[in-house]
């Protein structure tokens, strides 16, 4: 400071400004300049060891090749607003030395609503200088919001009006504020503030990613256990800050991903060598497309169930990352249950790049504790005995996640802070996972991540710290599996995410077996609107030559390009005929379904029954069980406790999965809910299914005659589907289960019924088959296209037009409801900066409510089922807990948490009003925020006015509402 010619008074004042108070910084004051330089030094380490090549390249482009220096500056300058009275007066002990230098704090406004935040204060003092020294508002306009938004929300320019005296009045404050910026800028390595002027702009999505990286650097540098306070300005320098940052980075085990991944020597090596597969035509097509796109783009792969799309996507991700400088991959799955096996697959894949990458694969959902591989790697527990999934089996660790897919990150349940894993291994220099990434909202910042699609959808919501989530996506290839039209929760938010990812230059791979052309077009247009930076892009996608197919979309020189497979890509297996028959029944009791199953399996065979309602599944199971069904019988639905559901899922896969062999029973029935639609690799001889929208119906049919070489009775050599959950009305039009109509809407069910009628004959009370059936997978694209097309498909008298009008009205209502949560309003999409992005914040009060928004459903809550017994409590499996529910060790915790289940939404209000954690859980991080559903010793209880019980076979049984 003295070398810069600052007066002794200014030097003394700058040297006294505090950035971290002793009271909140481990007992040691940390001066403001020290924290700014610490953050800049952390940014320098991030540049060297964390940032993707692609993002480093962009920062070099906007700073005339000085990207590392500029990144350090923009990260460190974030807290310059602490040099103002409103902040310096917040701690009386810290303010005393500041007052002693002659700076006047004055009378500041009181009341939380009038508080002047230092993030906005920083934007105010920096903006005027940037405008003056960078040559105008245009150059400064995209940088000051990065400072204003570093606490999680981007204010509008109208918010940059400080209360009287809060920003500092008089020459002394003006001099010290100018000096803080100048001293920091010179210390980092620029000659002066003008020298730090960027020569180009980052695009808005790139600004969002940069903002997240600023927050990351700030959070790391704010950890007092890693950056002890320095109250003597003579000890502060950029060199000392670099030493501290390097040491902290090593202690926290932070790291990036691939770091300049080499191009594969052979175009198909990612498939044949790394994944060890003999490429099918559809897999080859996707990988070749990844090689051919000239810039990062969107790839949409459509292929039948069981085609190997996921492995092809991983191979394509390697090609895209190597070509365009990406550092990792995020694989988004529809549910927690499907995330677990995908995590195992990605683990195996990542190991092939080097064993050190294994500890950089994160599983992002609230029940990851119960994945054996995750615990082995991240908690230092014993590894699974075999090379299997680790998420199945009959042990307590084999808990399959809930199908709701809530992101429920560990910090929401009071997990230990980022510096500790909870078992004492964090903070030790050496190999191992970086537990810092387990903190709230940080999961996507890991190099490789697998989790529910909610993480991607939340990155497209106007929520606090959304920039952290987006920064975690911006350096990766994003793969979204199981993208299907009827998953209405994805539509608004996935489209919004695609816009931002397109503008950030993030390659995205979408996978689907049943994607309507209109939905494909919408995804393409959304991504291209991001690439081109305008709200209304429509680039018609050519009609694919066949099915499977791959569509690509990208932008070159301001021009949108959309291409698709021009030649027929053969499926790996020949199409096969599937008999279609009606089984009219819309009684929740399902007696007719049970009778039909008994009849169709009289000579043996394996049947899968998929219904749309848990109560109906339980009733059909009871009918078969109590009627003396002679065979293996299983019930699978979302109201089973996690441990029971895991054990049953594993048993079903063992008996009717690809490796079943001679263990496949002579006669077996699995009754399931929608859980069986996706990532349930079983092979049924007969499918009985409630009517569902056409794409989901085809997903269920994908479990029929799925594997080659399966031993079947002669009567089941041809696949057979019996469609139920529907019955003819008096006028001949179909009438649906109430649950089905509530979930899917009448229009999509009417059209599905019309298409089934073409294959199974007219829907009558008797339900006799009289049609040609379907040819699967050859008929899949045509059926889906017709189901979601504009042409009418229903017979006269079904009032398809009325159902369509209702559907459209509800879709418009959903779109309107989503607008309050979407990251950007339509008219603001082309805005150049982040200013005002959080104009209204999010209306969601909790992550769980936001989950319900992006999933387009009512909020629901998870509970842990326990039984009250004489002298205390027991877990659902009988494990003794203690007088107050005390849990002594991890094994008991695992057994207790095996009793986790998600309640139906209609019980949410009663659960939140009445349920609490047991007193004995207060000291257990994984339990202290869990709600206990306390049942009596016989398994029954009351929640609100509703009777509930837990049965070892049926799962949670809920009394049906009157009427």
């Amino acid at each position: 400071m003295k070398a810069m010619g600052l007066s002794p008074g200014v030097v003394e004042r700058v040297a006294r400004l505090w950035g971290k108070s002793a009271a909140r910084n481990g007992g040691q004051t940390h001066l403001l300049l020290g924290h700014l330089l610490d953050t800049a030094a952390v940014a320098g380490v991030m540049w060297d060891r964390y940032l993707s090549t692609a993002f480093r390249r962009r920062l070099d482009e906007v700073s005339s090749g000085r990207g590392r220096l500029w990144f350090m500056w923009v990260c460190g300058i974030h807290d310059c607003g602490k040099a103002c009275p409103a902040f310096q007066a917040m701690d009386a002990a810290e303010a005393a030395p500041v007052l002693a230098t002659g700076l006047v704090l004055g009378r500041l406004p009181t009341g939380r609503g009038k508080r002047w935040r230092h993030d906005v204060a920083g934007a105010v003092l920096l903006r005027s200088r940037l405008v003056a020294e960078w040559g105008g508002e245009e150059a400064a306009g995209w940088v000051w919001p990065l400072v204003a938004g570093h606490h999680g929300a981007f204010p509008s320019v109208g918010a940059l009006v400080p209360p009287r005296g809060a920003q500092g009045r008089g020459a002394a404050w003006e001099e010290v504020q100018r000096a803080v910026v100048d001293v920091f800028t010179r210390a980092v390595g620029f000659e002066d503030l003008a020298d730090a002027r960027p020569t180009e702009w980052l695009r808005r999505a790139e600004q969002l990613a940069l903002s997240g990286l600023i927050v990351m650097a700030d959070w790391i540098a704010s950890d007092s256990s890693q950056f002890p306070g320095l109250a003597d300005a003579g000890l502060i320098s950029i060199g000392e800050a670099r030493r501290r940052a390097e040491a902290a980075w090593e202690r926290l085990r932070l790291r990036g991903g691939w770091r300049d991944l080499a191009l594969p020597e052979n175009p198909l090596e990612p498939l044949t060598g790394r994944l060890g597969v003999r490429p099918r035509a559809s897999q080859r097509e996707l990988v070749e497309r990844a090689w051919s796109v000239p810039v990062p783009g969107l790839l949409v792969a459509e292929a039948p169930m069981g085609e190997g799309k996921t492995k092809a996507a991983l191979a394509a991700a390697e090609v895209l990352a190597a070509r365009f400088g990406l550092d990792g991959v995020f694989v988004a799955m529809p549910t927690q249950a499907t995330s677990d096996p995908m995590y195992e697959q990605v683990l195996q894949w990542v190991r092939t790049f080097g064993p050190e990458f294994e500890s950089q694969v994160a599983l992002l959902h609230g029940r990851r504790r119960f994945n054996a591989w995750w615990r082995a790697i991240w908690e230092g527990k014993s590894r699974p005995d075999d090379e299997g999934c680790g998420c199945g089996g009959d042990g307590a660790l084999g808990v399959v996640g809930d199908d709701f897919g809530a992101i429920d990150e560990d910090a929401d349940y009071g997990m230990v802070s980022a510096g500790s894993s909870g078992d004492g291994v964090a903070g030790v220099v050496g190999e191992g996972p970086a537990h810092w990434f387990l903190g709230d909202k940080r999961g996507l910042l890991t190099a490789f991540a697998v989790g529910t699609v909610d993480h991607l959808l939340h990155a497209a919501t106007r929520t606090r710290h959304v920039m952290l989530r987006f920064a975690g996506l911006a350096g990766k290839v994003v793969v979204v599996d199981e993208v299907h039209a009827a998953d209405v929760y994805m539509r608004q938010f996935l489209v919004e995410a695609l816009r931002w990812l397109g503008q950030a230059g993030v390659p995205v791979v979408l996978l689907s077996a049943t994607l309507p052309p209109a939905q494909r077009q919408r995804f393409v247009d959304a991504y291209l609107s991001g690439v081109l930076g305008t709200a209304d892009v429509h680039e018609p996608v050519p009609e694919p030559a066949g099915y499977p197919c791959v569509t690509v979309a990208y932008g070159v020189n301001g021009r949108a390009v959309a291409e698709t497979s021009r030649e027929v890509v053969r499926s790996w297996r020949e199409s096969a005929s599937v008999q279609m028959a009606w089984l009219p029944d819309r009684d929740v009791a399902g007696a007719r379904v049970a009778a039909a199953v008994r009849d169709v399996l009289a000579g043996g065979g394996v049947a899968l029954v998929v219904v749309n309602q848990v109560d109906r599944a339980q009733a059909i199971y009871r009918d078969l069980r109590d009627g003396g069904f002679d065979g293996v019988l299983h019930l699978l639905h979302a109201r089973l406790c996690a441990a029971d559901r895991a054990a049953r899922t594993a048993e079903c896969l063992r008996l009717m999965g690809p490796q079943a062999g001679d263990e496949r029973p002579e006669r077996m029935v699995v009754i399931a809910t929608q859980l069986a639609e996706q990532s349930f690799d079983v092979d049924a001889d007969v499918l009985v299914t409630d009517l569902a929208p056409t794409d989901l119906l085809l997903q269920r049919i994908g479990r029929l005659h799925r594997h080659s070489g399966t031993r079947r009775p002669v009567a089941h050599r041809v696949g057979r589907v019996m469609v139920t959950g529907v019955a003819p009305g008096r006028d001949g039009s179909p009438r649906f289960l109430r649950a089905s109509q509530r979930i899917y809407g009448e229009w999509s069910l009417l059209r599905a019924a019309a298409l089934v009628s073409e294959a199974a004959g007219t829907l009558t009370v008797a339900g006799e088959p009289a049609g040609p059936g379907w040819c699967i997978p050859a008929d899949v694209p045509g059926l889906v296209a017709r189901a979601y097309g504009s042409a009418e498909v229903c017979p006269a008298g079904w009032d398809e037009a009325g159902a369509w009008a209702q559907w459209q009205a509800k879709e418009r209502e959903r779109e309107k409801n989503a607008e309050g949560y979407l990251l950007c309003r339509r008219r603001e999409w082309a805005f150049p900066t982040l200013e005002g992005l959080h104009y209204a914040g999010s209306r969601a009060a909790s992550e769980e409510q936001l989950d319900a928004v992006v999933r387009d459903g009512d909020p629901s809550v998870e509970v842990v089922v326990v039984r009250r017994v004489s002298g205390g409590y027991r877990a659902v499996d009988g494990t003794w807990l203690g007088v107050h529910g005390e849990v002594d060790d991890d094994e008991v915790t695992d057994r207790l948490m095996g009793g986790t289940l998600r309640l139906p939404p209609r019980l949410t209000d009663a659960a939140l009003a009445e349920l609490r954690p047991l007193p004995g859980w207060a000291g257990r991080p994984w339990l202290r925020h869990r709600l206990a559903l306390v049942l009596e010793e016989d398994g029954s209880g009351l929640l609100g006015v509703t009777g509930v019980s837990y049965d070892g076979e049926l799962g949670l049984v809920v009394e049906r509402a009157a009427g």
Side-chain angles (χ1 to χ4, degrees), residues 411-534:
D412 296 335
Y413 294 111
M415 285 296 288
V416 288
S417 66
S420 170
S421 68
D423 58 9
V425 299
V428 179
V429 177
E431 292 301 317
H435 291 92
W436 188 89
F437 291 121
L438 299 188
D440 190 19
K441 303 171 185 173
R442 305 175 198 174
L444 284 173
L445 293 168
T446 48
F448 307 97
V450 179
T452 54
V453 72
D454 302 66
H455 287 271
L456 174 61
L457 305 184
H458 283 211
T461 56
R462 191 184 301 106
T463 46
R464 199 166 193 86
H465 291 117
V466 67
M467 66 283 287
L468 268 178
R469 301 189 196 278
F470 194 78
L473 296 172
K476 295 180 173 65
V477 179
V478 174
V479 178
V480 188
D481 204 358
E482 308 267 12
V483 180
H484 305 310
D487 292 339
V488 293
Y489 65 85
M490 297 179 86
R491 290 181 181 169
Q492 295 287 336
F493 298 96
L494 180 56
V495 163
E496 182 73 1
L498 288 173
R499 288 196 189 103
W500 285 84
L501 292 172
Q503 189 172 82
V506 176
V508 179
V509 183
L510 303 181
L511 308 176
S512 180
T514 53
L515 190 64
Q519 195 74 350
R520 181 202 306 138
Q521 182 69 60
R522 189 177 183 190
F523 292 154
V524 165
D525 289 344
Y527 189 87
L528 289 174
S529 74
V531 171
L532 300 182
T534 182

Side-chain angles (χ1 to χ4, degrees), residues 101-350:
T101 68
L103 285 172
V104 178
L105 300 182
R107 296 185 61 184
L108 299 172
T110 58
R112 187 172 183 84
K114 297 181 179 180
R115 205 172 99 195
W116 186 234
R117 296 178 56 95
H118 73 265
D119 47 1
V120 183
V124 170
L125 74 88
L126 195 62
R127 178 171 176 250
S128 59
R129 289 201 59 190
L130 296 183
V131 170
E133 299 182 42
W134 284 6
E137 175 65 41
E138 194 170 275
W142 68 273
V143 175
W144 70 258
L146 301 175
V147 174
H150 81 263
H151 273 234
F154 299 99
S156 64
V157 70
L160 305 188
V161 180
R164 184 180 178 86
Q167 189 74 7
R169 301 173 65 186
W173 272 111
E174 185 177 338
E175 286 176 345
V176 79
Q177 289 168 351
R178 173 175 287 272
V180 166
V181 173
D182 290 343
V183 170
F184 167 75
T185 301
R186 177 78 70 88
V188 168
F190 287 110
E191 292 183 10
D192 51 31
L193 188 59
D195 189 34
R197 181 185 186 275
T199 53
E200 296 181 28
W201 291 35
L202 286 179
R203 307 184 80 192
R204 196 182 191 204
E206 295 168 330
Q207 295 168 31
L208 188 65
L210 174 58
S211 175
L213 295 170
I214 293 170
V215 174
M216 178 179 174
D218 180 28
W219 285 10
I220 293 171
S222 296
D223 185 345
S224 62
S225 67
Q226 304 298 330
F227 292 85
L230 296 174
D232 181 353
L235 300 177
I236 294 171
S237 68
I238 187 63
E240 173 64 12
R242 287 192 183 107
R243 185 196 65 77
R244 287 154 60 93
E246 291 276 0
W249 191 269
E250 292 297 325
R251 283 192 296 266
L252 293 173
R253 298 169 174 164
L254 298 170
R255 66 196 74 182
W258 281 312
R259 310 295 291 160
D260 303 314
L261 180 65
L263 282 170
E265 295 182 2
N266 181 290
L268 293 179
E269 175 66 19
L271 273 173
T272 59
R274 196 171 304 285
L275 289 165
V277 301
R278 296 179 60 185
R280 295 166 178 168
S282 61
Q283 294 173 319
R284 183 188 298 266
E285 175 79 356
L286 181 57
V287 173
E288 288 177 349
R289 287 286 179 171
W291 278 106
S292 68
V293 289
V295 292
L298 174 70
L299 290 79
V300 185
E302 300 169 60
M305 295 70 75
E307 186 77 16
K309 294 186 290 294
T310 303
K311 286 190 174 181
L314 294 179
E318 178 183 350
V319 173
L320 293 167
R323 292 187 62 213
F324 301 121
L326 285 308
D327 205 38
V329 172
F330 172 54
V331 182
M333 301 298 294
T335 66
Q336 291 182 355
T338 55
S339 297
D340 278 292
M342 180 54 63
Y343 172 66
E344 311 300 337
Q345 187 170 339
V346 171
L347 263 182
Q348 294 176 15
W349 175 63
V350 163

